Amino acid sequence: MKILVINPNTSNGVTEKIASIATKAAGPQTQLDFITAPYGVPYIATRAEALIGGQAALEILADHKDEYDAAVLAAFGDPGLGAIREMIDIPVVGLAEASLLAACPLGRNFSIVSFSSNLEAWYQECVEWHKMEQRLASIRMLNAPFSDINSVQSELEDMLVDLAQKAISEDKADVIITAGAPLAGLASKVRDLIPVPVVEGVAAAVKMAETMCVLQPRTPRMGAFAQPARKPSKGLPPSITRLFGGQTT
Amino acid sequence: MKILVINPNTSNGVTEKIASIATKAAGPQTQLDFITAPYGVPYIATRAEALIGGQAALEILADHKDEYDAAVLAAFGDPGLGAIREMIDIPVVGLAEASLLAACPLGRNFSIVSFSSNLEAWYQECVEWHKMEQRLASIRMLNAPFSDINSVQSELEDMLVDLAQKAISEDKADVIITAGAPLAGLASKVRDLIPVPVVEGVAAAVKMAETMCVLQPRTPRMGAFAQPARKPSKGLPPSITRLFGGQTT
Amino acid sequence: MKILVINPNTSNGVTEKIASIATKAAGPQTQLDFITAPYGVPYIATRAEALIGGQAALEILADHKDEYDAAVLAAFGDPGLGAIREMIDIPVVGLAEASLLAACPLGRNFSIVSFSSNLEAWYQECVEWHKMEQRLASIRMLNAPFSDINSVQSELEDMLVDLAQKAISEDKADVIITAGAPLAGLASKVRDLIPVPVVEGVAAAVKMAETMCVLQPRTPRMGAFAQPARKPSKGLPPSITRLFGGQTT
Amino acid sequence: MKILVINPNTSNGVTEKIASIATKAAGPQTQLDFITAPYGVPYIATRAEALIGGQAALEILADHKDEYDAAVLAAFGDPGLGAIREMIDIPVVGLAEASLLAACPLGRNFSIVSFSSNLEAWYQECVEWHKMEQRLASIRMLNAPFSDINSVQSELEDMLVDLAQKAISEDKADVIITAGAPLAGLASKVRDLIPVPVVEGVAAAVKMAETMCVLQPRTPRMGAFAQPARKPSKGLPPSITRLFGGQTT
Amino acid sequence: MKILVINPNTSNGVTEKIASIATKAAGPQTQLDFITAPYGVPYIATRAEALIGGQAALEILADHKDEYDAAVLAAFGDPGLGAIREMIDIPVVGLAEASLLAACPLGRNFSIVSFSSNLEAWYQECVEWHKMEQRLASIRMLNAPFSDINSVQSELEDMLVDLAQKAISEDKADVIITAGAPLAGLASKVRDLIPVPVVEGVAAAVKMAETMCVLQPRTPRMGAFAQPARKPSKGLPPSITRLFGGQTT
Amino acid sequence: MKILVINPNTSNGVTEKIASIATKAAGPQTQLDFITAPYGVPYIATRAEALIGGQAALEILADHKDEYDAAVLAAFGDPGLGAIREMIDIPVVGLAEASLLAACPLGRNFSIVSFSSNLEAWYQECVEWHKMEQRLASIRMLNAPFSDINSVQSELEDMLVDLAQKAISEDKADVIITAGAPLAGLASKVRDLIPVPVVEGVAAAVKMAETMCVLQPRTPRMGAFAQPARKPSKGLPPSITRLFGGQTT
């Protein structure tokens, strides 16, 4: 199985964190490649940034989909996932999506815990897009300063554990999702400090992509993700122009 | 009141249709300007096209927001509306949004009727994003061929009226929304052929934008649309780079 | 456009407050008239009082509907709105309804803030009747004494601003609706003291009524608000007897 | 136990039907009295008629509540039930309410079947007010003519049985509610013609009122049905004026 | 009417508490019998214990259903109720079910209050199985030690009253359900200490069983509780083997 | 990874079908063992049979959990899954659960298709227990006779494909789940006959169990699946007696 892991953020440090966890999670027959977004922001936190990151991911997939069996969209919030899913004919799994789904067999309700309240509105809409609100206990966000996105995980570890505790005792979460690619790896570190299961999203996403490879789903010809008719466009990047169906004459 | 009407499609013919209806609906003190997307597709129908159209609209607003009191995003499906709303400090109303809201005082449930089943999945997600599913009776789409997006309205008028009848009798719709900018103007034409109210979306959107001008809402400093912190980016169009907060150093 | 604004409360002081705000909000081509309920209570706060106020509004509209293009039912809670909508063949907009709808483009969730916990159960049912609970963050009510319904707004202003703050920080409201006709005008006064948009309901209702005039919806012959068959009655006020279809023989 | 059964319709023939079924259902220690609304319409079918019927029932209860342990509001649709419940300090059970609740132990989903599509919108809102939509399979209504409200039951019996069959096979109803006081007694007549349980609403309502007498619930001092503060009014019928708290000085 | 009350717990002391309240609630024509589960746990608190208790109740009913007109499953949580309902052709009412349904005419929302947080997850799933979450304000559980399940009611009475108060003031409960057979009788004791109605579940269940006897529902041949086809089994207790349809050959 | 696959049905033929698919899906480092229920029914189809099958699965896990890293409960409907999850300290994945979760990245809505309408009510409740109704398009069941549960798959293949087509075109399913262990293997056979992805549940369950092994979730000490306190019991099978905490003294 060849799986492409796309980091729609521009930060290479984040890609490295993702790669380290993803590699550990992958089965022996899985080959993983990693691509970092060539344009955009270091770390996507808002709907506007997700609009950009979604387009970057779509371009990457337009160029590379034929080389892979499946892909992982490795930003919690799953930027552009709907667009990708209707245009790209290999299975693509979102980091948030895989985290939410993997949390389900571990409890009735999960809470999402992360490091910046800027992310909250976007994460909330992501859970709603996946129609998983019925299992969402809460989204809890820190508002503490940190010096660097690459070290945010260790800088705020203690506060994130406390926040998870609050989600469990006050919001009745049965499972904690430590959300956001910069927190990749945190789940196993804090495993014994939190009294309920903690989901490592990157690992869940890699395993879900492997699951898709095994299921070998056909490309839908009907339904919400049937590939749309080809359509001319103008002024778009070459890979998207080709993906959509050529240029306006 | 100065209101900017943005057509995120690249089709000037559609912009003209919108302009004609919008001008009739506007109050005497309203000044309307119209801008057509410089890049993208002639008519947005899918999530991938909406990703592109949303960015085009965001660029237009980044450049022009200071000249207007409010704006209308004149594509049903409201591409990029969430992103726009958190970044742009004037009120922006979506064509779908205004149609759904205007339908509410006219009945318990509305149906959305349009000309291409390609649009259905995206429209469904749009209604869900607005959290209005509780009032959605159905989305009914034609699958008939038509020769030109600029004349689709007159080509398919009879079939659209039949489809609306089915939505009323089979899905219990109390109100019909004839969706999509290419159908601008149809509502008043078929008014007496359909036994329930029909919403003219462009008119509803212009009036909702005027309402926003009267309400003079402040820019939120908290909540789901509080403007996010400025953030460096790389490789983005100049207007978006400025809007986000400058280039990565 | 001729719009009738009905105050289903018996308090003329409240009618004056409504008129002052409504007049400012109306467009230059709008003519507004105001009628106060001839019987009932000074300020409707409960379902039982709403039953009475709804009948008073229905009588007023039975007598005057032919003189107007649209009407506003100017009591938050929208007493009798369903009954009015099925019997009266001009568009009628509720004060609560218009406030909820106008809040939608301003945020994901709104909170309703008002001066008396007596109102809470009725307001809650009103939001549910409009099927807008998905966007309701909370209803927050003061329990503080005040001397006069006509001055409750200024007496409790500071406490209402504090209550709005709580709705924002604790209930995650993106928009505040200061509910109830006695609070007409408060929204613009406290605009800069509250970190999210505040909806002035009376203004929203006038603009929504104007929107309905522009949309010119036909009277439904099918659906949930189709006018019912005429029916004889006995012992009812003359205007209602006529509206229903004559007296039992 | 003394239970008052109120028919908020003005038709004595309907009261007799109700009385016949109610008497059979009541336990040996239950005393039933019946009052027919002195004003209104022969048979309530719409929200406007329910507004009137609700006031009539409120007046009857204001005059007679001290003589009874509980009351039944014997019109499906439960006109004025919320208003009654907050003002009247004995338990009052609605005919629709009791039918819905009694249907629950008999199946997962129920359908409401009745004789006139005029009733549908009001019944739908009634189910929603009781927050029982999750268990509603469908509302199915005949549109057939009938000569007299007092004989509608026998005139349309065969068609109603057919309609119930459709609700079972097409809408997956596990239980049928034959709704509306004019259909009192039908359930037992058609019991063996319909392959699922059929709820006799009047019987269910009498038993629910007896249940309330046994439970002896206290009058709430808090919550959604706490009795509101006394309030002056003007121009209202004497019994309502007293109930609300006296006349405006 | 002959009604069998089944205690699926093995504790005879709990059966006695149930019998004392049930006998007071029953009408003069009702004959009640009581059976305690011959195997299982003294007091069911979890899903696993409910699996066992459900089977015990099913065996008791398989042996005794022909002697009774209806039955009560007297453990809050209603262990095995779905299984019982599809296999047993007399009406069977659950203790939780009857409590939830009886709470409905007494308020908009109810809270469930009980003595051990171990019970919470199971109770929550029970409310969801009955599709009554829309009316659930909260489940509030003590975590205090007690010496004996037979005296838990008096040992923790004061703390349970305090907990109910919190459910009313913080969770907006209009009605309190003191849940669990060991609390049978508490509702009437604390009636005047709690400002909203308190439901005595055992009384509600007996009255609901009597109501079912009066309604005489037919055994469903279609729908979610239609009796399934007979099926051979192996290794099951004799009464269940017979109920299912005989042994595997 | 050692994974135990439990067939809670008594049919060895079904176990063989499951084993054949499971073995193909498992990764190279996974060791699978299979156990068939020693008592119960050949094929669980109802809530009552699920009560028995759930206990059988609980007994098997009580005896064998220490030998495995995770387990699969290989009956669609997931009998006893809640009970198992709170008592057993290794991850256990249900066949229905894994199918529903794996369907999510493949479409917005899924339909469940199977061979006997007897299964429908139980499957419906299973989807609700997993809180996945928001993504359920429909459950479609055949009512055709078949000669043997071991060959039902090939006997009814054509009719099941037709049924799936109806779910897609009439119920708007984006994904088909061919439900029930006797249909194991059908998904890949009909892959190219159905225009949307088809989920092979057994494969999905094995991959989800492997995912759980990689995530290494800790045993919850709080929340809805925290292991309950040990409790004495009487009359239960030895393995369950031990699991619960010993015999009543």
Side-chain angles (χ1 to χ4, degrees):
Chain A
M1 308 174 191
K2 288 192 65 185
I3 296 174
L4 174 62
V5 179
I6 299 163
N7 178 12
N9 302 295
T10 60
S11 161
N12 289 312
V14 169
T15 309
E16 282 161 32
K17 268 211 176 56
I18 293 168
S20 144
I21 303 297
T23 306
K24 269 183 240 159
Q29 296 171 320
T30 302
Q31 177 193 321
L32 297 175
D33 289 339
F34 300 88
I35 298 183
T36 306
Y39 59 84
V41 297
Y43 187 65
I44 301 172
T46 70
R47 304 169 190 90
E49 294 160 13
L51 201 64
I52 302 301
Q55 184 180 324
L58 188 62
E59 283 193 64
I60 291 168
L61 278 160
D63 286 339
H64 296 283
K65 70 190 167 71
D66 296 340
E67 308 155 35
Y68 294 93
D69 299 304
V72 168
L73 182 63
F76 207 94
D78 300 345
L81 185 56
I84 288 166
R85 205 160 266 166
E86 72 190 350
M87 299 306 296
I88 300 297
D89 53 11
I90 58 169
V92 182
V93 174
L95 176 56
E97 180 179 59
S99 302
L100 306 183
L101 297 176
C104 287
L106 297 170
R108 301 295 290 166
N109 301 310
F110 48 75
S111 281
I112 294 171
V113 168
S114 195
F115 57 90
S116 163
S117 58
N118 283 337
L119 295 152
E120 181 166 349
W122 180 43
Y123 282 5
Q124 175 71 36
E125 292 186 12
C126 175
V127 175
E128 292 171 3
W129 188 79
H130 286 296
K131 300 192 201 171
M132 300 291 282
E133 317 94 282
Q134 279 195 284
R135 301 193 71 155
L136 179 66
S138 63
I139 299 178
R140 288 250 180 188
M141 294 295 180
L142 285 185
N143 250 336
F146 57 91
S147 61
D148 187 342
I149 193 69
N150 289 308
S151 58
V152 61
Q153 180 179 145
S154 52
E155 290 182 47
L156 301 182
E157 179 179 320
D158 292 352
M159 294 175 78
L160 287 165
V161 169
D162 286 351
L163 201 62
Q165 296 276 17
K166 272 193 193 154
I168 297 163
S169 56
E170 294 176 22
D171 310 332
K172 302 196 177 179
D174 304 320
V175 187
I176 296 297
I177 296 171
T178 46
L183 300 188
L186 182 63
S188 57
K189 255 187 268 169
V190 300
R191 184 182 183 278
D192 295 326
L193 303 175
I194 291 177
V196 303
V198 184
V199 171
E200 173 55 69
V202 171
V206 169
K207 301 314 283 182
M208 183 56 90
E210 289 178 352
T211 299
M212 290 297 126
C213 292
V214 167
L215 292 179
Q216 293 191 284
R218 61 161 297 162
T219 304
R221 281 210 320 268
M222 294 185 70
F225 290 113
Q227 202 163 345
R230 293 174 67 78
K231 185 181 274 189
S233 61
K234 75 171 185 196
L236 302 186
S239 59
I240 298 214
T241 303
R242 273 194 307 276
L243 192 70
F244 279 11
Q247 221 154 326
T248 310
T249 50
Chain B
M1 309 175 190
K2 289 192 64 184
I3 295 175
L4 173 63
V5 180
I6 299 162
N7 178 11
N9 302 296
T10 59
S11 161
N12 289 311
V14 170
T15 310
E16 281 161 31
K17 268 211 176 54
I18 292 167
S20 145
I21 303 298
T23 307
K24 268 184 241 159
Q29 295 172 318
T30 302
Q31 178 193 319
L32 296 175
D33 289 340
F34 300 88
I35 298 182
T36 306
Y39 59 85
V41 295
Y43 186 64
I44 301 172
T46 69
R47 303 169 191 90
E49 294 160 13
L51 201 64
I52 302 299
Q55 183 180 326
L58 188 62
E59 283 192 64
I60 291 168
L61 278 161
D63 285 340
H64 295 283
K65 70 190 167 72
D66 295 341
E67 308 155 34
Y68 294 94
D69 299 304
V72 167
L73 180 65
F76 206 93
D78 300 345
L81 184 57
I84 288 166
R85 205 159 267 166
E86 71 190 351
M87 298 306 296
I88 301 298
D89 54 9
I90 59 170
V92 181
V93 173
L95 177 55
E97 179 179 59
S99 302
L100 307 183
L101 297 176
C104 287
L106 297 170
R108 301 295 289 165
N109 300 310
F110 49 76
S111 281
I112 294 171
V113 168
S114 196
F115 57 90
S116 164
S117 59
N118 283 337
L119 295 151
E120 182 167 347
W122 180 43
Y123 282 5
Q124 175 71 35
E125 293 187 11
C126 175
V127 175
E128 292 171 5
W129 188 78
H130 286 296
K131 300 191 200 172
M132 299 292 281
E133 316 95 280
Q134 279 196 285
R135 301 192 72 154
L136 179 68
S138 62
I139 299 178
R140 288 250 181 188
M141 294 295 180
L142 284 184
N143 248 336
F146 57 91
S147 62
D148 185 341
I149 193 69
N150 289 309
S151 59
V152 61
Q153 181 179 146
S154 53
E155 291 182 47
L156 300 182
E157 179 179 321
D158 292 352
M159 294 175 78
L160 287 165
V161 168
D162 286 351
L163 201 62
Q165 295 277 17
K166 272 193 192 156
I168 297 163
S169 57
E170 295 176 22
D171 310 333
K172 302 199 177 177
D174 304 321
V175 187
I176 295 296
I177 296 172
T178 45
L183 300 188
L186 181 63
S188 58
K189 256 185 268 169
V190 300
R191 184 183 183 279
D192 295 326
L193 304 175
I194 292 177
V196 303
V198 184
V199 171
E200 173 54 69
V202 171
V206 168
K207 300 314 281 183
M208 183 57 90
E210 289 179 352
T211 299
M212 291 297 127
C213 292
V214 166
L215 292 179
Q216 295 191 281
R218 60 161 297 164
T219 304
R221 280 210 322 269
M222 294 184 71
F225 290 114
Q227 202 163 347
R230 294 174 68 78
K231 183 181 277 189
S233 60
K234 72 173 186 193
L236 302 185
S239 59
I240 298 216
T241 304
R242 272 194 307 276
L243 192 69
F244 280 9
Q247 221 153 327
T248 310
T249 50
Chain C
M1 308 174 192
K2 288 193 63 184
I3 295 174
L4 173 62
V5 180
I6 299 163
N7 178 12
N9 303 295
T10 59
S11 162
N12 289 312
V14 169
T15 309
E16 281 162 31
K17 268 211 175 55
I18 292 167
S20 144
I21 302 299
T23 306
K24 267 183 241 161
Q29 294 169 319
T30 302
Q31 178 193 320
L32 296 175
D33 289 339
F34 300 87
I35 299 183
T36 306
Y39 60 85
V41 297
Y43 187 64
I44 301 173
T46 69
R47 303 168 190 90
E49 295 160 11
L51 200 65
I52 302 299
Q55 185 180 323
L58 188 62
E59 283 191 64
I60 290 167
L61 278 161
D63 286 339
H64 296 284
K65 69 191 168 70
D66 295 342
E67 307 156 35
Y68 294 92
D69 298 305
V72 168
L73 180 64
F76 206 94
D78 300 344
L81 185 57
I84 287 165
R85 204 159 267 168
E86 73 190 348
M87 299 305 297
I88 301 297
D89 54 9
I90 58 169
V92 183
V93 173
L95 177 56
E97 180 178 59
S99 302
L100 306 183
L101 297 175
C104 287
L106 297 170
R108 301 295 290 165
N109 300 312
F110 48 77
S111 282
I112 295 171
V113 167
S114 195
F115 57 91
S116 163
S117 59
N118 283 336
L119 295 152
E120 181 166 347
W122 180 44
Y123 281 7
Q124 175 72 35
E125 292 186 11
C126 175
V127 175
E128 291 172 6
W129 188 78
H130 287 296
K131 301 191 199 172
M132 300 292 279
E133 316 92 282
Q134 280 196 284
R135 300 192 74 155
L136 179 68
S138 63
I139 300 178
R140 288 251 180 186
M141 293 295 179
L142 285 185
N143 249 335
F146 57 90
S147 61
D148 186 342
I149 192 69
N150 289 309
S151 59
V152 62
Q153 180 179 146
S154 53
E155 290 181 48
L156 302 182
E157 179 179 322
D158 291 352
M159 294 175 78
L160 287 164
V161 169
D162 286 352
L163 200 63
Q165 297 276 17
K166 272 192 193 157
I168 296 163
S169 56
E170 295 177 21
D171 311 331
K172 303 198 177 176
D174 304 321
V175 187
I176 296 296
I177 297 172
T178 46
L183 300 188
L186 181 63
S188 58
K189 256 185 268 170
V190 299
R191 185 183 183 279
D192 295 327
L193 304 174
I194 292 177
V196 302
V198 184
V199 171
E200 172 56 69
V202 171
V206 168
K207 299 316 280 182
M208 183 57 90
E210 289 178 352
T211 299
M212 291 296 126
C213 292
V214 167
L215 292 179
Q216 292 191 284
R218 60 160 298 162
T219 304
R221 281 210 321 269
M222 292 184 72
F225 291 114
Q227 202 162 346
R230 296 175 64 79
K231 185 181 273 189
S233 61
K234 75 173 185 195
L236 302 184
S239 59
I240 298 214
T241 302
R242 272 194 306 276
L243 192 71
F244 279 11
Q247 221 154 327
T248 312
T249 50
Chain D
M1 311 173 188
K2 290 191 64 184
I3 295 175
L4 175 63
V5 179
I6 299 163
N7 179 12
N9 303 295
T10 60
S11 160
N12 289 311
V14 169
T15 309
E16 281 162 31
K17 267 212 177 55
I18 292 167
S20 146
I21 302 300
T23 306
K24 267 184 240 159
Q29 295 170 320
T30 302
Q31 179 193 319
L32 297 175
D33 289 339
F34 300 87
I35 297 182
T36 306
Y39 60 84
V41 296
Y43 187 64
I44 301 171
T46 68
R47 305 170 190 88
E49 294 160 13
L51 200 64
I52 302 299
Q55 184 179 325
L58 188 61
E59 284 192 63
I60 290 168
L61 278 161
D63 286 340
H64 295 284
K65 71 190 166 70
D66 295 342
E67 308 155 35
Y68 294 92
D69 298 305
V72 168
L73 181 65
F76 206 94
D78 302 344
L81 185 57
I84 287 166
R85 204 159 267 166
E86 72 190 350
M87 299 304 297
I88 302 297
D89 53 10
I90 58 169
V92 182
V93 173
L95 177 56
E97 180 180 58
S99 301
L100 307 183
L101 297 176
C104 287
L106 297 170
R108 300 296 290 165
N109 300 312
F110 49 75
S111 280
I112 294 171
V113 168
S114 196
F115 56 91
S116 164
S117 60
N118 283 336
L119 294 152
E120 182 166 347
W122 181 43
Y123 282 5
Q124 176 71 36
E125 292 186 12
C126 175
V127 174
E128 291 171 5
W129 189 78
H130 286 296
K131 300 190 200 171
M132 301 290 282
E133 316 93 282
Q134 279 195 284
R135 301 192 72 155
L136 180 68
S138 63
I139 298 178
R140 288 250 180 188
M141 294 294 180
L142 286 184
N143 249 337
F146 57 90
S147 62
D148 185 342
I149 192 69
N150 289 308
S151 58
V152 62
Q153 180 178 146
S154 53
E155 290 182 48
L156 301 182
E157 180 179 320
D158 291 353
M159 297 175 75
L160 288 164
V161 169
D162 286 352
L163 201 63
Q165 296 276 18
K166 271 192 193 154
I168 296 163
S169 56
E170 295 176 23
D171 310 332
K172 302 201 178 174
D174 304 320
V175 187
I176 296 296
I177 296 171
T178 46
L183 298 188
L186 181 64
S188 57
K189 257 185 267 171
V190 301
R191 185 182 183 278
D192 296 326
L193 304 175
I194 291 176
V196 303
V198 185
V199 171
E200 172 56 69
V202 171
V206 168
K207 299 317 280 182
M208 184 56 91
E210 289 178 352
T211 299
M212 291 296 127
C213 292
V214 166
L215 292 180
Q216 294 191 283
R218 61 160 299 163
T219 304
R221 282 209 321 266
M222 295 184 69
F225 290 115
Q227 203 163 347
R230 295 173 67 78
K231 183 180 276 187
S233 61
K234 76 174 184 192
L236 302 184
S239 60
I240 297 215
T241 304
R242 271 194 308 276
L243 192 70
F244 279 11
Q247 220 153 327
T248 311
T249 50
Chain E
M1 309 173 189
K2 288 191 67 185
I3 295 174
L4 174 62
V5 180
I6 298 163
N7 179 11
N9 303 295
T10 59
S11 160
N12 289 310
V14 169
T15 310
E16 281 162 31
K17 268 211 175 56
I18 292 168
S20 145
I21 302 298
T23 306
K24 269 184 238 160
Q29 296 170 319
T30 301
Q31 179 193 320
L32 298 175
D33 290 339
F34 301 87
I35 297 183
T36 306
Y39 60 83
V41 296
Y43 187 64
I44 301 171
T46 69
R47 303 168 191 91
E49 295 160 12
L51 200 65
I52 303 300
Q55 184 180 325
L58 188 61
E59 283 192 64
I60 290 168
L61 278 161
D63 285 339
H64 295 284
K65 72 191 166 67
D66 295 342
E67 309 156 34
Y68 294 93
D69 298 304
V72 167
L73 182 63
F76 206 93
D78 301 345
L81 186 57
I84 288 167
R85 204 160 267 166
E86 73 189 350
M87 299 306 296
I88 301 296
D89 54 9
I90 58 170
V92 182
V93 173
L95 177 55
E97 180 179 60
S99 302
L100 306 183
L101 297 176
C104 287
L106 297 170
R108 301 296 290 166
N109 301 311
F110 48 76
S111 281
I112 294 171
V113 167
S114 195
F115 57 91
S116 164
S117 59
N118 283 335
L119 295 152
E120 182 167 346
W122 179 43
Y123 282 6
Q124 176 71 35
E125 292 186 13
C126 174
V127 174
E128 290 170 6
W129 188 78
H130 287 295
K131 301 190 198 172
M132 300 291 282
E133 315 94 284
Q134 279 196 284
R135 301 191 73 153
L136 180 67
S138 63
I139 299 179
R140 288 253 180 185
M141 294 294 181
L142 285 185
N143 249 336
F146 57 90
S147 61
D148 185 343
I149 193 69
N150 289 306
S151 58
V152 63
Q153 181 179 145
S154 52
E155 289 182 47
L156 301 183
E157 180 179 319
D158 291 354
M159 295 174 77
L160 287 164
V161 168
D162 285 352
L163 200 63
Q165 296 277 15
K166 272 191 192 157
I168 297 163
S169 56
E170 295 176 22
D171 311 331
K172 302 199 178 177
D174 303 322
V175 186
I176 296 296
I177 296 172
T178 46
L183 299 188
L186 182 63
S188 57
K189 258 186 265 171
V190 300
R191 184 182 184 278
D192 296 326
L193 304 175
I194 292 176
V196 304
V198 184
V199 171
E200 172 56 68
V202 171
V206 168
K207 301 315 282 182
M208 184 55 91
E210 288 177 353
T211 298
M212 290 297 126
C213 292
V214 166
L215 293 179
Q216 294 191 282
R218 61 160 299 162
T219 304
R221 281 209 322 267
M222 294 184 71
F225 290 114
Q227 203 162 345
R230 295 173 68 76
K231 184 180 276 189
S233 61
K234 75 172 185 194
L236 302 184
S239 58
I240 297 214
T241 302
R242 273 193 306 277
L243 193 70
F244 279 11
Q247 222 154 325
T248 312
T249 52
Chain F
M1 308 176 192
K2 288 191 64 183
I3 295 176
L4 174 63
V5 179
I6 299 163
N7 178 11
N9 303 295
T10 59
S11 161
N12 288 313
V14 170
T15 309
E16 281 160 31
K17 270 212 174 54
I18 292 168
S20 144
I21 303 299
T23 306
K24 268 183 242 160
Q29 295 169 318
T30 302
Q31 178 194 321
L32 295 176
D33 289 339
F34 300 88
I35 298 182
T36 306
Y39 60 84
V41 296
Y43 187 64
I44 301 172
T46 69
R47 303 168 191 90
E49 294 160 12
L51 201 64
I52 302 300
Q55 185 180 324
L58 188 61
E59 283 191 65
I60 290 167
L61 279 160
D63 285 340
H64 296 283
K65 70 191 167 71
D66 295 342
E67 308 155 34
Y68 294 93
D69 297 307
V72 168
L73 181 65
F76 206 93
D78 302 345
L81 185 57
I84 287 165
R85 204 160 268 166
E86 72 190 349
M87 299 305 298
I88 301 298
D89 53 9
I90 59 170
V92 182
V93 172
L95 176 56
E97 180 179 59
S99 302
L100 307 183
L101 297 176
C104 287
L106 296 170
R108 300 296 290 166
N109 301 311
F110 48 76
S111 281
I112 295 171
V113 168
S114 196
F115 57 91
S116 164
S117 60
N118 283 336
L119 295 152
E120 182 166 347
W122 180 43
Y123 282 5
Q124 176 71 37
E125 292 186 13
C126 175
V127 175
E128 292 171 4
W129 188 78
H130 286 295
K131 300 191 199 172
M132 299 292 280
E133 316 93 283
Q134 279 195 285
R135 301 191 74 152
L136 179 68
S138 63
I139 299 179
R140 288 251 180 185
M141 294 295 179
L142 286 184
N143 248 336
F146 57 90
S147 61
D148 186 341
I149 192 70
N150 288 309
S151 58
V152 62
Q153 183 179 142
S154 53
E155 291 181 48
L156 302 182
E157 179 179 320
D158 291 352
M159 295 175 76
L160 287 164
V161 168
D162 286 351
L163 200 63
Q165 296 277 17
K166 272 192 193 157
I168 296 163
S169 57
E170 295 176 22
D171 311 331
K172 303 198 177 177
D174 303 321
V175 186
I176 296 296
I177 296 171
T178 46
L183 300 187
L186 181 64
S188 57
K189 257 185 268 171
V190 299
R191 186 182 182 278
D192 295 327
L193 304 175
I194 292 177
V196 303
V198 185
V199 171
E200 172 55 70
V202 170
V206 168
K207 301 315 280 183
M208 184 56 90
E210 289 178 353
T211 300
M212 290 296 127
C213 292
V214 166
L215 292 179
Q216 294 192 283
R218 59 161 299 162
T219 304
R221 280 210 324 268
M222 292 184 72
F225 290 114
Q227 201 163 347
R230 295 173 66 78
K231 184 181 275 189
S233 60
K234 74 174 184 193
L236 302 185
S239 59
I240 298 214
T241 302
R242 272 193 307 276
L243 192 71
F244 280 11
Q247 219 154 329
T248 311
T249 49

